[in-house]
Amino acid sequence: MIKDPIGTKGARLSTQISMAGRFLVFLPQETRIGISQKIEDEAERELLRERLTRILPQGEQGGFIIRTMANIADDNELASDVEYLYTLWDAIRARSENHLGADRDLPELDLAHRVLRDFATAETARIMVDSRETFQRLDAFAEEFTRNVHGKISHYDVERPLFDLYGVEEEIERRWGGAWI
């Protein structure tokens, strides 16, 4: 895996497989539980390690890195991340065993999929998507990887744009003076 430089992190090359979730990074070839260096408080680090250890299913292989955002996650959110990452790894292994593109890198998730993975939770009431193609891809992804939101995704098929319907552009203007992030 090749990683380009980002911020203060330099470029690096690794044969270590890693898959990022919302709160965790799964390392299928490892057995340890690491913690983001940005979490400096030792008591907090130990508490996070204990919480994750309690959540992990017995008999499953692999290690994890606890990301910085995990300190605001509850146990259900951590468990959902663990389930997502194990399901993703199972799908990759099945694809490899069936020789279906085993020689290709796993592509990074696009923005819509990352938003679904990182922001949709069991408490999410509804997700509306105004593109039929994106809706179909997200629905299939949710059915396999984020079951807690599958069935909450709907295709918005009305002429009035979603941003107009919910005043999104006005809210952005109000909060950030029109600066799109």
Side-chain angles (χ1 to χ4, degrees):
M1 169 182 295
I2 299 172
K3 290 191 175 185
D4 293 327
I6 297 176
T8 60
K9 294 182 179 182
R12 62 186 179 148
L13 175 64
S14 172
T15 59
Q16 177 69 39
I17 297 172
S18 64
M19 296 172 290
R22 183 176 179 193
F23 303 109
L24 305 167
V25 175
F26 181 51
L27 308 167
Q29 299 162 314
E30 293 286 329
T31 57
R32 66 182 174 83
I33 295 177
I35 300 177
S36 168
Q37 293 177 358
K38 292 180 183 177
I39 300 174
E40 296 176 356
D41 181 85
E42 277 305 316
E44 183 178 5
R45 292 172 67 86
E46 191 54 39
L47 178 63
L48 284 167
R49 182 176 281 114
E50 288 172 9
R51 286 178 57 211
L52 180 59
T53 302
R54 267 195 330 269
I55 290 168
L56 292 176
Q58 292 294 330
E60 288 286 351
Q61 301 282 321
F64 288 88
I65 297 173
I66 299 172
R67 300 177 77 178
T68 308
M69 289 293 293
N71 64 356
I72 63 165
D74 63 30
D75 286 355
N76 289 333
E77 290 172 315
L78 288 177
S80 288
D81 223 21
V82 168
E83 179 184 0
Y84 161 73
L85 291 165
Y86 280 140
T87 302
L88 179 60
W89 179 237
D90 288 344
I92 291 168
R93 286 192 318 207
R95 181 175 149 188
S96 174
E97 290 167 4
N98 294 326
H99 305 290
L100 300 174
D103 59 336
R104 295 186 1 223
D105 289 336
L106 185 67
E108 286 290 321
L109 295 177
D110 64 21
L111 178 61
H113 287 83
R114 287 193 316 264
V115 167
L116 187 66
R117 177 195 71 193
D118 293 347
F119 296 106
T121 67
E123 288 77 37
T124 301
R126 181 172 55 164
I127 302 166
M128 294 191 306
V129 181
D130 62 1
S131 159
R132 167 77 58 198
E133 179 184 330
T134 302
F135 161 72
Q136 290 170 339
R137 288 186 296 117
L138 289 179
D139 191 53
F141 179 84
E143 183 176 22
E144 187 169 0
F145 298 110
T146 55
R147 292 182 199 97
N148 61 333
V149 295
H150 184 252
K152 297 179 180 182
I153 304 170
S154 62
H155 179 234
Y156 178 79
D157 192 14
V158 179
E159 204 167 301
R160 183 176 179 192
L162 269 171
F163 275 29
D164 288 350
L165 180 65
Y166 289 99
V168 173
E169 290 179 10
E170 291 83 8
E171 185 66 18
I172 291 170
E173 180 70 35
R174 186 180 71 73
R175 288 188 183 206
W176 294 291
W180 288 75
I181 296 175

